């Protein structure tokens, strides 16, 4: 729980079991992933409403349902979106883009999240988890939905596109798999500290992985594209050198999507967008359509999330998980509640 704003200020506390209201579902958490956002929250670099229980990537089993809930019953295996509260009235809510609602409160920072035993959410954001998807894989539905939203809904990869994924973190590893499913030729770029993640990217289907300390990405991409450059760049590292490299690698009239978050303003040659006539976009969070697609991809076995999980820890050992995430030693750590 983030107890107040400022650096750190995260503690394990005993809390009472939350009540379930009308239209709400109480989920017994089975697994919850640590996200880069949680690290930003630790360092007070992200909007948060303390005191609040962190954790927004999770799945579990329905423990109790409130009045007017007929879609779910006790014992159902489920996962949940993060748009805990939205206004329901604005342009974005009315057109299905409720992830952009100005009044949106996110699970795990706006309202209590999933690094706990029971999490209560409104029924509209709950999704069934198919029986062939285990809880560890299911805990990563949220980042997978983000990657689906960014890669498919916002960018649109076409068959034959040379897709450059910068940064083999969770978002990069998921976006790379999705780009493959969409028919792209996928090149994943990373640094020397990413060697392990790059070989995982290769195992998960990337056509080519490049440690940019060893190979020159500009030359490699030119060779693959008759000198034109990448059709699509998905910048998943959220780093300023990554974004600069991406703008260099993308071809004229190509697509550049900022997938990772920098956490601060960066300096970049914005004029390239004009010179190259680029289509530049980004994404924020996810919405119903992306969730349904993500869940189908998991169910059909077209995308795998489990190989990204490097460690499972009880919630009481959260600090160890946060530290490993920050040092880049873990790809995805999953926490589980203890009695
Ligand atoms: Zn996340
Ligand atoms: Zn709204």
């Amino acid at each position: 729980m983030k107890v107040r704003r400022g650096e750190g200020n995260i503690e394990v506390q005993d809390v009472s079991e939350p009540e379930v209201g009308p239209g709400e579902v109480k989920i017994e958490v089975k697994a919850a992933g640590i996200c880069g956002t949680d690290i930003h929250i630790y360092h007070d670099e992200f909007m948060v409403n303390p005191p609040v229980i962190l954790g927004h990537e999770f799945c579990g089993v329905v423990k109790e349902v409130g009045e007017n809930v007929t879609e779910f019953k006790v014992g159902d295996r489920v996962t949940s979106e993060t748009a805990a509260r939205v206004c329901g009235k604005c342009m974005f809510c009315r057109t299905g883009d409720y992830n952009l609602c100005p009044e949106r409160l996110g699970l795990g920072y706006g309202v209590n999240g999933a690094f706990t035993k029971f999490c209560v959410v409104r029924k509209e954001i709950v999704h069934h988890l198919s029986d062939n998807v285990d809880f560890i894989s299911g805990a990563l539905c949220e980042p997978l939905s983000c990657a689906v939203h960014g890669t498919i809904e916002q960018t649109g990869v076409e068959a034959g596109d040379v897709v450059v994924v910068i940064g083999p973190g969770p978002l990069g590893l998921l976006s790379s798999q999705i780009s493959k499913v969409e028919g792209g030729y996928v090149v994943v770029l990373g640094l020397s500290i990413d060697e392990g993640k790059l070989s995982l990217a290769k195992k998960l289907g990337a056509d080519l992985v490049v440690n940019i300390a060893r190979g020159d990405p500009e030359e490699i991409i030119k060779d693959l594209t008759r000198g034109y450059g990448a059709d699509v760049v998905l910048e998943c590292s959220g780093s300023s050198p990554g974004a600069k490299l991406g703008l260099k690698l993308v071809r004229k009239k190509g697509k550049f999507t900022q997938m990772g978050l920098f956490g601060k303003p960066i300096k970049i040659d914005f004029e390239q967008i004009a010179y190259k006539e680029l289509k530049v976009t980004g994404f924020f969070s996810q919405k119903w359509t992306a969730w349904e697609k993500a869940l189908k991809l998991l169910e059909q076995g077209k995308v795998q999330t489990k190989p990204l999980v490097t460690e499972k820890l009880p919630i009481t050992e959260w600090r160890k998980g946060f530290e490993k995430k920050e040092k880049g030693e873990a790809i995805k750590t999953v926490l589980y509640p203890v009695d």
Side-chain angles (χ1 to χ4, degrees):
M1 175 182 288
K2 181 91 177 177
V3 289
R4 59 186 169 278
R5 291 292 303 257
E7 172 76 16
N9 296 334
I10 292 178
E11 289 170 14
V12 175
Q13 287 189 356
D14 279 322
V15 293
S16 49
E17 192 172 321
E19 300 277 324
V20 59
E24 291 181 333
V25 179
K26 188 191 291 185
I27 302 169
E28 183 175 356
V29 177
K30 292 291 181 186
I34 298 176
C35 174
T37 307
D38 297 315
I39 309 299
H40 285 305
I41 292 172
Y42 181 90
H43 293 300
D44 206 32
E45 297 160 344
F46 194 83
M47 192 286 297
V48 57
N49 255 348
V52 68
I53 297 169
L54 305 186
H56 59 269
E57 311 178 348
F58 78 108
C59 65
V61 171
V62 174
K63 168 87 184 315
E64 196 183 335
V65 295
E67 252 175 77
N68 309 324
V69 178
T70 50
E71 300 86 341
F72 301 96
K73 56 181 195 310
V74 173
D76 281 358
R77 303 167 79 255
V78 293
T79 180
S80 167
E81 298 182 33
T82 57
R85 281 188 218 151
V86 293
C87 78
K89 296 176 208 144
C90 71
M91 174 172 82
F92 306 109
C93 282
R94 287 179 193 274
T95 51
D97 295 322
Y98 55 84
N99 53 316
L100 302 175
C101 173
E103 287 177 37
R104 175 185 183 277
L105 282 182
L107 197 71
Y109 41 95
V111 301
N112 280 338
F115 290 159
T116 180
K117 199 159 181 195
F118 299 106
C119 186
V120 172
V121 293
R122 59 189 178 100
K123 65 176 181 179
E124 289 81 7
I125 59 170
V126 181
H127 297 256
H128 281 108
L129 198 61
S130 36
D131 287 337
N132 68 341
V133 177
D134 61 68
F135 289 128
I136 297 297
S137 302
L140 272 68
C141 284
E142 193 268 354
L144 181 61
S145 306
C146 284
V148 165
H149 183 43
T151 306
I152 301 181
E153 299 186 326
Q154 287 294 92
T155 313
V157 172
E158 285 168 36
D161 277 352
V162 170
V163 181
V164 172
V165 175
I166 300 177
L171 196 55
L173 290 166
L174 297 172
S175 304
S176 143
Q177 293 183 69
I178 295 163
S179 301
K180 272 303 284 184
V181 177
E182 293 279 279
Y185 181 94
V186 179
V187 184
V188 182
L189 307 182
L191 307 168
S192 296
I193 51 160
D194 300 323
E195 284 286 4
K197 296 175 195 166
L198 287 173
S199 38
L200 179 58
K202 185 93 191 142
K203 249 185 243 158
L204 293 173
D207 295 284
L208 192 64
V209 298
V210 180
N211 170 353
I212 62 167
R214 296 222 192 114
D216 179 353
E218 263 187 284
E219 283 307 310
I220 292 166
I221 299 302
K222 269 187 187 159
D223 285 348
L224 284 171
T225 57
R226 300 186 195 98
Y228 285 112
D231 302 292
V232 177
V233 168
L234 303 173
E235 205 300 301
C236 297
S237 75
S239 74
S240 146
K244 283 175 189 162
L245 178 62
L247 275 185
K248 231 185 247 175
L249 297 179
V250 67
R251 71 165 162 83
K252 289 177 179 170
K253 284 205 169 289
K255 297 173 179 173
F256 177 99
T257 305
Q258 188 56 49
M259 306 273 289
L261 297 177
F262 304 106
K264 54 178 183 276
I266 62 152
K267 257 192 170 174
I268 198 149
D269 184 8
F270 210 62
E271 217 166 33
Q272 289 306 315
I273 298 169
Y275 284 133
K276 288 186 158 181
E277 296 196 356
L278 297 178
K279 290 188 185 73
V280 178
T281 186
F283 81 92
F284 177 72
S285 188
Q286 3 66 30
K287 52 185 182 172
W288 194 89
T289 46
W291 275 81
E292 283 299 308
K293 198 157 279 191
L295 286 161
K296 273 194 245 166
L297 287 172
L298 263 184
E299 183 182 331
Q300 295 163 359
K302 290 194 173 152
V303 167
Q304 287 176 272
T305 52
K306 205 174 188 175
L308 276 63
V309 177
T310 37
E311 196 167 26
K312 291 163 233 165
L313 294 170
I315 288 175
T316 43
E317 289 180 42
W318 66 273
R319 189 177 290 277
K320 197 171 149 196
F322 273 51
E323 280 169 5
K324 282 198 175 172
K325 171 90 195 161
E326 180 138 38
K327 286 187 203 145
E329 288 168 12
I331 302 177
K332 191 55 97 176
T333 300
V334 164
L335 299 178
Y336 56 89
V338 279
D339 287 317

